[in-house]
Amino acid sequence: MTDHAVTYAFDGEFDDATFAVESAIVGQGLVIDYVSHTGEMLERTKGDVGSDITIFDAADIFLFCSARVSREVMEADPQNIAFCPYSIYVTQTDGEVRVGYRTYPNGPMQKVQSLLDGIVLEAVAE
C-alpha cells in the first residue's frame, strides 16, 4: 500500500481478477461506464515516447459511479464531483496480480473509499 492507493493480491490469473472485479461492481447494482485497457496502451506506445520498459504485463481500470454514494458526498460538498467517476484497477506484473483503488480524503469521501474497499475485498476473495 502507498499513501495514495490501496492494493490487494489476487490469487489467480489476470482475466479471473478482471471478471471478479466486474462481477463485484455489477453485484452492487452499479454500472461500469468504461474499462480502460491502460496496460495495452502503455505497451503499444512505449516506443513512441522513447522507452523500452514494460510496466505491466496487463492492466485494466474499471470506471463507474454510484448514484446513492455520489449524491451523499456531493451534497456534503459539491466539489467532490472532482473524484467521480470512481475506479478500481487490476494489474499483473511478473506474474503477480493485484487489485486496487486510489485513496480518498478524510470526511465524506471515506464513504466512497469504503464502497471501493468492499468491492475489491469481494473480488479478491473469489
Side-chain angles (χ1 to χ4, degrees), residues 5-23:
V6 175
T7 64
Y8 296 94
F10 182 86
D11 185 20
E13 301 295 321
F14 178 82
D15 289 341
D16 295 333
T18 59
F19 181 78
V21 167
E22 181 178 349
S23 296

Side-chain angles (χ1 to χ4, degrees), residues 19-123:
F19 181 78
V21 167
E22 181 178 349
S23 296
I25 292 169
V26 172
Q28 291 285 321
L30 305 173
V31 175
I32 297 168
D33 295 319
Y34 182 71
V35 179
S36 174
H37 303 288
T38 306
E40 290 175 13
M41 179 273 300
L42 290 169
E43 188 63 21
R44 183 180 67 252
T45 61
K46 70 182 178 183
D48 298 337
V49 298
S51 179
D52 61 357
I53 297 171
T54 297
I55 300 170
F56 301 107
D57 300 326
D60 285 350
I61 304 170
F62 293 83
L63 301 171
F64 60 95
C65 216
S66 163
R68 182 183 54 78
V69 174
S70 294
R71 175 160 291 282
E72 272 186 64
V73 301
M74 288 180 217
E75 283 181 358
D77 181 352
Q79 293 305 308
N80 284 335
I81 193 171
F83 298 106
C84 200
Y86 313 126
S87 64
I88 293 175
Y89 60 85
V90 180
T91 62
Q92 180 176 330
T93 306
D94 298 327
E96 181 183 24
V97 178
R98 301 198 62 81
V99 180
Y101 59 90
R102 77 178 112 174
T103 58
Y104 291 88
N106 289 331
M109 289 306 296
Q110 286 301 298
K111 291 179 183 183
V112 173
Q113 187 159 327
S114 179
L115 171 70
L116 298 179
D117 201 59
I119 292 169
V120 170
L121 287 173
E122 179 181 332

